Amino acid sequence: MTAGTDAPPPPPVPPRPRTILPLRVVLPTASVIVAGGCLAALFGSPGAGAAGPSASSSASDPASTGPVSGRDLDGRPVRADPGASPLPAASAEASIGVRLRVPAVGLDVPVGAVSAVDGVVVPPGFRSAYWVRDRGRPVEDAERGTVVLVMHALGGGGRAPGNAIVRQDGTVRVRAGDEVRVGDHRYRVEASRTVRKSGLAADALWSDEPGRLLVVTCLPSPDGSAATRNVVVAARLVPDGS
């Protein structure tokens, strides 16, 4: 190279693939141990303070239960057993102005928002799905990446949004091709997976892909014991006009 000649520019560096930061989703069912206690659906009349027998043997006496943690889709109280830590609000919003609809299974609930705390996200209620605001993309930015929604399922006869996705016997109700709507965005289910809770954070599903939706709920144990697995439903955005 002669003096005064400009050096050739360095070759471009290929962009690194974007990955959603993994998290551990705590999605208790009835009789599931959560932070030292368990959540049990206790059934009385909607709005009633007292409750009937629990699905959990440790909470069969309503007087021995903790405060009402929330209510299920039928208005029945969900109580925390003694020793259970309160569910973290994590700056939760009850609604972000859109709804989650899965017509094939009759699901139609508001979408709220919640943040992960130290890598753990706990949906604060039992009547909504929740967008995890610090994982993946915002709902309005669905074309650019993966949107992550989480929601509870309840065992023992309780009914939360996740119960539309999984049956009480543990089988998954949604099928490939089912339509999922999040606000004005329309998706088609591609597949569902069962992932052990202990392996969820390390699973490859957390890659950020344009136009993808992940809906995560727990898989209730048929015998009422602690749930050890999550169900993850993956859906793909349907282009406008399709």
Side-chain angles (χ1 to χ4, degrees), residues 29 32 194-199 218-221 225-230:
T29 64
V32 172
T194 300
V195 182
R196 293 193 67 84
K197 288 176 179 285
S198 59
C218 56
L219 186 63
S221 298
S225 61
T228 59
R229 295 174 293 169
N230 288 120

Side-chain angles (χ1 to χ4, degrees), residues 51-137:
S54 167
S56 167
S57 59
S58 63
S60 58
D61 178 5
S64 69
T65 63
V68 172
S69 299
R71 297 185 181 274
D72 76 354
L73 286 170
D74 297 319
R76 297 175 292 192
V78 179
R79 295 178 181 269
D81 276 354
S85 298
L87 300 178
S91 302
E93 299 175 59
S95 175
I96 59 173
V98 301
R99 297 185 72 85
L100 169 66
R101 295 181 172 92
V102 187
V105 296
L107 180 63
D108 184 350
V109 293
V111 176
V114 67
S115 297
V117 177
D118 296 329
V120 178
V121 60
V122 180
F126 304 91
R127 301 167 65 92
S128 300
Y130 292 88
W131 162 57
V132 186
R133 62 166 69 90
D134 50 351
R135 298 294 188 274
R137 302 280 183 162

Side-chain angles (χ1 to χ4, degrees), residues 162-186:
N163 292 100
I165 302 296
V166 295
R167 296 183 178 91
Q168 292 284 351
D169 63 3
T171 56
V172 180
R173 298 184 64 199
V174 295
R175 298 181 178 181
D178 284 350
E179 180 181 88
V180 180
R181 288 187 175 270
V182 183
D184 294 330
H185 297 289
R186 186 162 62 98

Side-chain angles (χ1 to χ4, degrees), residues 16 43 79 148:
R16 297 179 62 185
F43 300 144
R79 295 178 181 269
V148 180

